[in-house]
Amino acid sequence: DIQMTQSPSTLSASVGDRVTITCRASQSISSWLAWFQQKPGKAPKLLIYKASSLESGVPSRFSGSGSGTEFILTISSLQPDDFATYYCQQYNSQATFGQGTKVEIK
Amino acid sequence: QLQLQESGPGLVKPSETLSLTCTVSGGSIRNNNYYWGWIRQPPGKGLEWIGSIYYSGSTYYNPSLKSRVTMSVDTSKNQFSLKLSSVTAADTAVYYCARRDCGGGACSAYLFDYWGQGTLVTVSS
């Protein structure tokens, strides 16, 4: 099965910062990669699918890039509502998630 | 507006079978554009896909859980269900039901764009 590894595990940032989170797959998954945002006590929310396609209703400050085995989620200017945990998920071969990256207030 | 609501016992004894139901409202489970699925999250940990099902009954299970998982659809009640047998403490988690809208085209059964609020199931004697 395909393993997904995110880095960093925790990220401290300030409002207005540009934030990047990396996700690596143990083998090529083409562009079959999604990003989710999860807040405490809430269900995950789909942000990006197919590596770089923005889900409807998601602010344009979120963007995704990459293909093959390395992917990046970028938040161009961090907003107060963005402090949360972010997960990548591959869906090239069934489904596996990364371990998560917590974005916390610096 | 689609709504998904998980229901079932919040406490299950070790070695017994965990049974959960997801009730779909605001949409039909028979919609041929949708896949339905279950994902779980142990307290303080990451997400694990359990399985996916189509309204016709076609199922796709996580290989690591396949021997213990059964998913089914009840179109008359607009519900789908999860059964996980021989549970242990490691199965303690928040269980989410979810939907994938394929929007009329081909899509993956393994990516979900709409999730229920989740229900905590604790395995303990």
Side-chain angles (χ1 to χ4, degrees), chain A residues 34 36 38 42-44 46 49 55 87 89 91 94-95 97, chain B residues 41 45-47 49 61 63 96 108 110-113 115-116:
Chain A
F36 289 86
Q38 187 179 33
K42 300 295 187 182
L46 179 64
Y49 61 96
E55 177 72 352
Y87 293 94
Q89 181 212 325
Y91 53 104
Q94 300 194 322
F97 292 85
Chain B
Q41 184 172 35
K45 296 187 178 180
L47 298 158
W49 170 72
Y61 297 146
Y96 295 99
S108 170
Y110 311 116
L111 174 64
F112 298 100
D113 50 61
W115 298 48

Side-chain angles (χ1 to χ4, degrees), chain B residues 3 9 24 29 35 37-38 41 47 55 60 86 90 95 97-99 109-113 116-120:
Chain B
Q3 291 191 31
V24 180
I29 202 166
Y35 283 97
W38 292 95
Q41 184 172 35
L47 298 158
Y55 81 96
Y60 314 83
S86 304
Y95 285 76
C97 63
R99 178 213 69 182
Y110 311 116
L111 174 64
F112 298 100
D113 50 61
Q117 63 185 19
T119 188
L120 175 63

Side-chain angles (χ1 to χ4, degrees), chain B residues 21-109:
Chain B
T21 296
C22 183
T23 300
V24 180
S25 56
S28 173
I29 202 166
R30 293 177 58 90
N31 189 317
N32 61 8
N33 287 317
Y34 297 162
Y35 283 97
W36 308 96
W38 292 95
I39 305 96
R40 70 180 182 177
Q41 184 172 35
K45 296 187 178 180
L47 298 158
E48 180 179 35
W49 170 72
I50 300 170
S52 304
I53 189 166
Y54 194 54
Y55 81 96
S56 62
S58 298
T59 53
Y60 314 83
Y61 297 146
N62 186 324
S64 69
L65 299 169
K66 187 175 183 177
S67 64
R68 299 195 291 130
V69 170
T70 303
M71 294 176 60
S72 60
V73 170
D74 187 335
T75 56
S76 67
K77 295 182 179 179
N78 226 34
Q79 295 175 335
F80 62 103
S81 298
L82 168 70
K83 292 187 186 298
L84 182 66
S85 64
S86 304
V87 297
T88 69
D91 295 310
T92 294
V94 174
Y95 285 76
Y96 295 99
C97 63
R99 178 213 69 182
R100 170 61 167 167
D101 183 356
C102 298
C107 78
S108 170

